[in-house]
Amino acid sequence: ELKSIITDGDIRRALLSGFGLQSSIFVIKTNKPIVASTEDSVEQIAERFNEKIRIIPVVDKQNKVVDVYFRDKRTHIAVTNPLFDEHEIELLTECIVTGWVSSAGAFVTKFESMVADYCGTKYAVSCSSATSGLHLALLAHNIGPGDEVIVPSLSFIATANAVTYTGATPVFVDSHKTTWNIDPNLIADAITPKTKAIIPVHLYGHPADMDPINEIAKKHNLLVVEDAAEAQGAKYKNRMVGSLADIAVFSYFGNKIITTGEGGMIVTDDADIAEKCRVLRDHGMSKDRRYWHEVVGYNYRLTNMQAAIGVAQMHKIDNIISRKKEIAAEYSKHLEAIPCITLPSNMNWADNVYWLYTILIDTHLVDVNVEDLMQVLKQNGVDSRPVFPPMHKQPIYDTGLTLPLCEDISQRGISLPSAPDISDDNIANICKIIIDFIETNQVASTRL
């Protein structure tokens, strides 16, 4: 028998007003439910929907629920979203019940241990974001004012910002035409007597070509920091990303391969560097004397609640990555025959995890504007993202450089919905929108 209808909002408000997880659900005050009868027509039921009423149960003469009608006009396919289930809820609840919600707690060390084991590194240091992780990694290696750090221009701004935080100067290098990552062949020309480090970025889930980068670094005695924010689980020559350089950093922002909401992780095989990162992360506090600070540090800690989510996410990371690869294969199946579309690469030495499935539109072959395509997708309830603008063109780093490859990739690139729970039918529909848009513009271009 139908007693009431309770929404997630009702439960949230009840918890905020003092009720607990063990409280009876019947103590929650709700409005009288809007219901339909088995004798009502579809038209009559439809009239009862509005912006607030989106679920209507259908009851029989005994007031028992026999069906449910749903209506939601807010159709939207996101570029990506996290994949959560009862495991995250269970571990989060444990944090709340036990009171271990801040940066101390068993989940922090467990999450660090799981990531280190997964990457094949000796140490992992959790932190508040990948940006803070890059900052700590550079500080721990004494990068500072007067130094230069080589970075790819085609990356999210955080890669260069972390360099700037230390007082050092980012030096921008163009992209490789196939992988879109930093071109190893251009790094040597960017090295000066001030150069102290290289930060290759594994862009959109495809590993950078690390062997030649490490060879250059060894020759010039340079630090190598992997910015692996977008590529946890990717492999380079059967070696796991994160284990390919002196130190590496991952991101656990809400849109990454796995997430803790916000968060990051530093991985390394160097015990001294790991310890320096921990001290700097925790306000520079001495490990031997509480509230004693011998260096200026930062509050870059991850909470136990975030780490609890991370532990749950690590249990499903292989399934997430497997689905990411299936999604990429499904997109490629529909788009590979379109001459003006360049698909994301997967070099024979790489294992791409396709964080975001990103394509390039060849505007020389077809009269298509990427921004117009994004607008058409949006009109059809499909979100998308442009490729990152090159950092050397950003107002805060405007260098006057011309780096043609990354500039071209940025102008022609678009990232498509890549959430692990996207359906193959949705992928097919997205591809149809893209193909129809391109074919329409091909006709227009031909007529001109």
Side-chain angles (χ1 to χ4, degrees), residues 52-109:
K52 292 185 178 180
I53 306 301
R54 298 179 179 277
I55 300 175
I56 296 180
V58 180
V59 297
D60 62 15
K61 292 181 179 179
Q62 287 73 45
N63 203 35
K64 292 183 179 179
V65 178
V66 295
D67 204 347
V68 180
Y69 275 75
F70 297 88
R71 188 187 73 172
D72 197 337
K73 292 182 179 179
R74 300 169 296 176
T75 303
H76 178 75
I77 302 175
V79 168
T80 189
N81 53 260
L83 190 65
F84 293 148
D85 57 30
E86 65 278 0
H87 197 186
E88 283 83 2
I89 297 171
E90 176 189 349
L91 299 188
L92 270 176
T93 302
E94 182 178 332
C95 294
I96 294 168
V97 170
T98 61
W100 291 99
V101 296
S102 292
S103 57
F107 287 120
V108 174
T109 52

Side-chain angles (χ1 to χ4, degrees), residues 326-343:
E326 291 173 356
I327 290 166
E330 194 69 19
Y331 270 120
S332 296
K333 179 180 75 176
H334 292 285
L335 298 176
E336 62 187 355
I338 310 303
C340 65
I341 293 180
T342 299
L343 305 181

